[in-house]
Amino acid sequence: AETGCLSIIVLGASGDLAKKKTFPALFHLYCQGFLPPNEVHIFGYARTKISDDELRNRIRGYLLGERSSSPSEDVSEFLKLVKYVSGSYDSAEGFQLLDKEIAMHEISKSSQEVSSRRLFYLALPPSVYPSVCRMIRKYCMNESDLGGWTRVVVEKPFGKDLDSAELLSSQIGELFDEPQIYRIDHYLGKELVQNLLVLRFANRFFLPLWNRDNIDNVQVVFREDFGTEGRGGYFDEYGIIRDIIQNHLLQVFCLVAMEKPVSLKPEHIRDEKVKVLQSVLPIKDEEVVLGQYEGYRDDPTVPDYSNTPTFATVILRIHNERWEGVPFILKAGKALNSRKAEIRVQFKDVPGDIFKCEKQGRNEFVIRLQPSEAMYMKLTVKQPGLEMSTVQSELDLSYKQRYQGVTIPKAYERLILDTIRGDQQHFVRRDELKAAWEIFTPLLHRIDNGEMKPTPYQQGSRGPTEADELSAKASYVQTHGY
Ligand code: BG6
């Protein structure tokens, strides 16, 4: 592993993302020994003029999160590594000062010169990415002769449509090479999302079944049982398709649908993702249902006339040998009846069925990403007893039971560690991002222009009933033909 100084610079240090996700992830990495205090320093950078201690106090409360097992001494020790620098996002002075602080720390960590690693985490709105990247490029690059690197980590939204995303990509691309840019999609850090490649390609069971001959439809579903809660302003500009479907669900879709990569090298995996994205056919209006929960517009930051969907079901169809005709039903919604993210692979009915299994439901393979990670296969078995009757049961792998005592790392923890290690497998490549926007841009423009309107649905419901009808119809047509 690389050694030498490691500086992690969190830009937007006093914002929500930094407090809730970035710093807690860094803290947990620290507790597990991945951020050795003799090598690491963490800098918060933001516009607010506060002291080191004020920043520490602001983040302290968020560090433990759900894991109260870490002792409070750890928190204090960790916070000692955190320093604050204030400055604007487009001023030379701020970034010159930041560079000075980083260099001072690099010298202080060792009497001799050492290589320097600089990780810039942009917990900022994308509108300032170009200027921040320019400043980093100009004033804050690692220039040690002894090696090291400079990397930038960026968060979605990466643009609002194809053109704006391409513009952003080229602005950043002029300043940094692709291996220096880490585009986070935190779904790629989830345990069961990372498991998808293993499941699909390390199990003989699935290899022959994973295609149009056997699979009727695939559903990738995201539900939240709360609304936009204080993020109405941001959300209204983006909507559920840009917030969840175009990135999180589409990444899951890629891993379910892509072909086997040549190897586990990040470039090989991402090549396959791009290919499957490029094979997606244009989305048809009649294969989309949009919804908006009642009360969404009551948020003072949301305009009364808002046309923004908080729910969407979109069917994707892949034009290739494996998947022709199989609907991939992507569904996401806020303020629904439960909080859940899962993948449901529904198999076709058994041909020439002699047991009347159809009544009980079909074979299904479910991967639950959250809550309570699990995967289970629904299958038909004989009802135990003297009668010859059948019943649907499950082969169940529930992580809580099977891996008792194992802490599943948080997505951000894993992904930040990858950025330090230089592993880009779980990050979105530029051409992948472009292909993702190509799929959704025409639909998004129709919604933005008011050509498609969301149907109101009640908070705490399943979403618009049209969405269930669309899913049912798509799988019926697939099985029975028109
Ligand atoms: C974020 C979205 O990317 O993901 C949020 O902006 C959403 O709207 C969140 O709530 C969901 O993440 P998770 O990990 O809780 O499923």
Side-chain angles (χ1 to χ4, degrees):
E2 283 177 284
T3 53
C5 274
L6 171 62
S7 306
I8 300 173
I9 303 99
V10 182
L11 298 123
S14 48
D16 249 23
L17 177 70
K19 280 191 304 207
K20 292 186 181 155
K21 302 285 184 194
T22 322
F23 282 112
L26 290 171
F27 173 62
H28 287 127
L29 288 173
Y30 166 82
C31 292
Q32 295 165 80
F34 290 113
L35 303 180
N38 57 346
E39 288 177 14
V40 176
H41 220 87
I42 298 170
F43 297 88
Y45 184 95
R47 282 175 305 194
T48 338
K49 290 204 164 49
I50 51 170
S51 67
D52 291 348
D53 277 338
E54 274 169 285
L55 176 71
R56 291 176 186 140
N57 288 336
R58 284 187 189 191
I59 57 184
R60 188 187 303 271
Y62 292 95
L63 293 183
L64 289 175
E66 293 146 37
R67 290 193 220 159
S68 43
S69 54
S70 316
S72 57
E73 305 87 76
D74 282 358
V75 173
S76 311
E77 289 302 310
F78 169 77
L79 287 174
K80 280 190 201 154
L81 302 179
V82 180
K83 208 173 156 33
Y84 184 71
V85 179
S86 119
S88 74
Y89 295 122
D90 55 4
S91 84
E93 302 87 71
F95 284 85
Q96 282 166 329
L97 178 63
L98 179 62
D99 181 63
K100 229 174 51 227
E101 293 283 349
I102 301 171
M104 250 161 60
H105 138 73
E106 286 169 349
I107 294 164
S108 77
K109 292 276 156 167
S110 166
S111 46
Q112 326 130 18
E113 253 198 86
V114 288
S115 74
S116 110
R117 294 172 288 160
R118 297 182 173 193
L119 184 70
F120 290 88
Y121 192 111
L122 276 58
L124 291 169
S127 54
V128 297
Y129 287 176
S131 81
V132 168
C133 287
R134 256 195 312 276
M135 291 293 133
I136 296 172
R137 178 79 229 178
K138 203 155 173 200
Y139 300 109
C140 300
M141 299 295 283
N142 152 46
E143 273 153 8
S144 159
D145 301 333
L146 296 164
W149 42 253
T150 303
R151 293 179 185 148
V152 294
V153 184
V154 288
E155 282 273 348
K156 74 157 182 73
F158 310 117
K160 288 194 74 178
D161 60 5
L162 182 58
D163 289 347
S164 51
E166 276 293 281
L167 177 64
L168 187 61
S169 288
S170 64
Q171 285 169 330
I172 300 179
E174 278 164 21
L175 302 163
F176 295 99
D177 296 331
E178 194 60 26
Q180 297 177 297
I181 306 169
Y182 288 72
R183 295 180 195 85
I184 283 205
D185 183 312
H186 80 282
Y187 266 58
L188 290 176
K190 291 188 188 275
E191 182 66 37
L192 286 203
V193 175
Q194 298 206 340
N195 199 1
L196 284 169
L197 276 191
V198 183
L199 268 179
R200 282 196 54 203
F201 300 118
N203 290 294
R204 187 74 196 226
F205 275 143
F206 297 120
L207 296 177
L209 293 184
W210 214 258
N211 55 43
R212 63 192 299 266
D213 298 332
N214 301 289
I215 292 177
D216 178 89
N217 70 86
V218 178
Q219 311 196 357
V220 184
V221 182
F222 167 97
R223 302 170 188 282
E224 261 176 357
D225 55 0
F226 48 89
T228 51
E229 301 201 325
R231 296 168 75 227
Y234 150 80
F235 190 88
D236 199 67
E237 226 189 289
Y238 289 89
I240 198 77
I241 297 178
R242 293 182 178 95
D243 191 46
I244 303 287
I245 299 184
Q246 182 267 354
N247 33 69
H248 302 330
L249 299 196
L250 199 62
Q251 282 296 331
V252 173
F253 160 86
C254 284
L255 291 164
V256 172
M258 70 188 222
E259 295 299 315
K260 184 171 174 168
V262 176
S263 79
L264 288 179
K265 289 207 181 96
E267 297 322 324
H268 287 157
I269 293 172
R270 300 193 295 176
D271 288 347
E272 292 307 329
K273 286 187 176 176
V274 173
K275 272 195 230 160
V276 75
L277 290 173
Q278 288 175 338
S279 311
V280 173
L281 293 169
I283 297 168
K284 293 191 189 135
D285 284 1
E286 61 273 22
E287 298 205 314
V288 175
V289 170
L290 305 174
Q292 187 186 75
Y293 65 83
E294 287 164 358
Y296 168 72
R297 298 177 193 179
D298 297 346
D299 180 329
T301 58
V302 171
D304 297 340
Y305 51 82
S306 171
N307 195 31
T308 301
T310 59
F311 174 101
T313 294
V314 178
I315 298 185
L316 297 187
R317 296 183 179 271
I318 304 170
H319 182 62
N320 70 13
E321 224 174 286
R322 184 185 292 275
W323 295 119
E324 182 83 57
V326 180
F328 281 76
I329 305 169
L330 273 47
K331 193 182 285 190
K334 301 232 168 220
L336 297 178
N337 53 349
S338 61
R339 174 167 182 263
K340 197 183 262 190
E342 63 183 12
I343 306 162
R344 306 188 81 94
V345 181
Q346 302 199 322
F347 287 85
K348 292 189 172 181
D349 294 330
V350 174
D353 171 33
I354 51 175
F355 297 105
K356 303 198 173 57
C357 297
E358 219 177 304
K359 279 202 312 223
Q360 279 149 6
R362 37 169 65 142
N363 285 160
E364 199 174 1
F365 179 44
V366 183
I367 301 163
R368 188 162 67 226
L369 310 179
Q370 65 193 32
S372 314
E373 292 84 351
M375 49 186 118
Y376 52 94
M377 267 175 176
K378 290 192 167 186
L379 67 179
T380 304
V381 298
K382 179 182 165 305
Q383 170 84 56
L386 290 174
E387 303 303 323
M388 183 41 133
S389 59
T390 58
V391 66
Q392 210 180 46
S393 188
E394 278 139 33
L395 278 176
D396 190 356
L397 172 59
S398 156
Y399 275 46
K400 256 204 197 103
Q401 284 160 13
R402 189 72 182 81
Y403 300 110
Q404 269 174 24
V406 178
T407 311
I408 295 180
K410 288 261 186 291
Y412 276 95
E413 223 169 295
R414 229 191 276 261
L415 295 175
I416 292 176
L417 187 59
D418 285 345
T419 63
I420 298 170
R421 290 175 167 164
D423 182 348
Q424 290 195 307
Q425 175 177 336
H426 304 294
F427 295 83
V428 183
R429 203 167 66 186
R430 179 173 170 172
D431 52 349
E432 208 182 325
L433 181 66
K434 177 166 184 258
W437 279 117
E438 273 165 356
I439 295 174
F440 286 101
T441 296
L443 170 64
L444 287 166
H445 284 173
R446 286 200 294 278
I447 300 170
D448 294 346
N449 296 338
E451 289 162 42
M452 292 177 79
K453 296 224 184 294
T455 311
Y457 64 94
Q458 263 185 3
Q459 294 191 34
S461 70
R462 283 178 57 83
T465 46
E466 290 89 332
D468 287 333
E469 287 160 17
L470 176 64
S471 309
K473 185 172 154 229
S475 68
Y476 180 86
V477 168
Q478 158 72 351
T479 315
H480 305 270
Y482 285 95

